Amino acid sequence: MQLIDGKTVSQAVKERVRDEIAHDGLKIGLAVVIVGNDQASRVYVNNKKKACEFCGITSYEYALPEETTEEQLLELVDTLNNDGKVNGILVQLPLPEHINEKKIIEHISPMKDVDAFHAVNVGRIMIGDYAFLPCTPAGVMELIHSTGTEIAGKECVVIGRSNIVGKPMAMLLLHENGTVTVCHSRTKNLAEVCRRADILVSAVGRAGFVTADMVKEGAVVIDVGMNRNAEGKLCGDVDFDGVAPKCSFITPVPGGVGPMTIAMLMENTLRAKKLQS
């Protein structure tokens, strides 16, 4: 069993972005909007700022109070859409309940939608003609590639069908000629389906959900889950100690997929700049 080190792979992606920005003398701006005081969101935003600094991207932070209205947020997005210094716009989710997330996402210019959540970008991912990929699935693909695993012809199983991870993840594996099964809460014989997987990606958000009896000997296992166990310790969807001995490669939590999400955001912001130039 080999650990897939997300910190090392993500560092390589950020260095690649930093070197290209420096080499081409690019001026790039990323606007990050955070509404309210969600602690996890605040941690993410701070990590994004650090990554921007490392890569040579100017970070514009808009920290808005919890009581910000939908109208005010839409106005800010309009301003950022029209600001030439801003190449990427990211509205940190979740938003307060009185704001319609879908409406805000659809308001961001698809050319600046570095999260790739806008319907236009989602549709382009479906047909394989995309400008941006959602950061987490794109990061997972980088991790799989880092192992030297050939995806073409392999049985790939994705557990979870969210718009942010599960569905785009399935599409990316399909674009590389994997044979893809998407599992969810209504899937019958889940363990049996998972045992067929040469590449297993879990994104369900349930601590210890994937157990050793669900994993084929020699599988590549990617754990997208970020959960807390009964002791309050950060863990993934995969029962790591039970599953790891059966795998050829496995990602740890933390230190696996997490760092990749921010690295791919840096890559998307660079791509946005190039598209707008």
Side-chain angles (χ1 to χ4, degrees):
M1 180 277 295
Q2 278 183 266
L3 268 189
I4 308 174
D5 185 353
K7 288 180 183 162
T8 304
V9 181
S10 70
Q11 189 62 20
V13 172
K14 287 188 292 190
E15 285 171 8
R16 194 167 74 210
V17 171
R18 179 195 64 188
D19 294 350
E20 189 171 338
I21 291 171
H23 179 269
D24 296 344
L26 299 172
K27 288 193 164 26
I28 304 180
L30 172 66
V32 179
V33 182
I34 176 170
V35 186
N37 314 312
D38 184 87
Q39 279 316 105
S41 290
R42 174 40 62 201
V43 171
Y44 281 134
V45 168
N46 290 346
N47 288 340
K48 284 164 187 170
K49 278 165 82 171
K50 277 187 209 142
C52 282
E53 212 170 296
F54 178 84
C55 293
I57 293 170
T58 305
S59 168
Y60 303 102
E61 186 187 307
Y62 297 85
L64 307 178
E66 184 84 23
E67 58 276 10
T68 300
T69 65
E70 187 171 281
E71 201 50 51
Q72 287 168 324
L73 187 50
L74 289 169
E75 275 172 29
L76 173 60
V77 171
D78 269 335
T79 303
L80 298 173
N81 280 338
N82 296 314
D83 186 339
K85 296 194 304 295
V86 172
N87 304 106
I89 301 169
L90 185 149
V91 177
Q92 186 66 45
L93 303 179
L95 289 168
E97 280 180 10
H98 64 276
I99 297 176
N100 181 334
E101 283 183 4
K102 186 169 177 285
K103 199 169 175 184
I104 302 301
I105 289 164
E106 292 298 305
H107 210 70
I108 297 170
S109 159
M111 295 283 279
K112 294 189 176 188
D113 166 40
V114 286
D115 260 335
F117 291 166
H118 192 288
V120 167
N121 289 326
V122 173
R124 296 188 75 125
I125 291 159
M126 279 293 292
I127 59 174
D129 172 25
Y130 44 77
F132 306 115
L133 292 173
C135 301
T136 301
V140 170
M141 295 303 279
E142 285 276 337
L143 291 174
I144 296 170
H145 293 148
S146 77
T147 68
T149 300
E150 175 78 27
I151 295 169
K154 293 279 172 39
E155 286 272 357
C156 305
V157 172
V158 178
I159 314 174
R161 54 175 166 183
S162 73
N163 292 331
I164 291 174
V165 181
K167 288 179 194 169
M169 190 70 250
M171 279 298 116
L172 298 192
L173 290 163
L174 191 58
H175 290 324
E176 292 205 18
N177 303 312
T179 300
V180 185
T181 306
V182 180
C183 296
H184 44 79
S185 57
R186 303 287 176 87
T187 300
K188 292 192 169 82
N189 307 323
L190 179 67
E192 198 179 303
V193 177
C194 292
R195 271 196 299 275
R196 295 204 302 262
D198 302 305
I199 299 169
L200 179 64
V201 181
S202 181
V204 284
R206 284 171 63 184
F209 181 77
V210 177
T211 49
D213 63 316
M214 297 166 72
V215 178
K216 174 184 186 174
E217 201 69 49
V220 175
V221 175
I222 309 284
D223 189 349
V224 184
M226 285 287 258
N227 317 298
R228 298 260 171 207
N229 64 13
E231 294 83 56
K233 194 163 160 275
L234 195 63
C235 65
D237 290 346
V238 176
D239 167 23
F240 186 87
D241 294 340
V243 169
K246 295 184 83 171
C247 302
S248 57
F249 293 93
I250 186 170
T251 58
V253 177
V257 175
M260 294 305 300
T261 300
I262 291 175
M264 302 319 287
L265 173 66
M266 298 299 105
E267 190 155 276
N268 278 354
T269 307
L270 169 59
R271 193 169 294 162
K273 170 71 178 181
K274 293 199 283 200
L275 286 170
Q276 292 156 30
S277 298

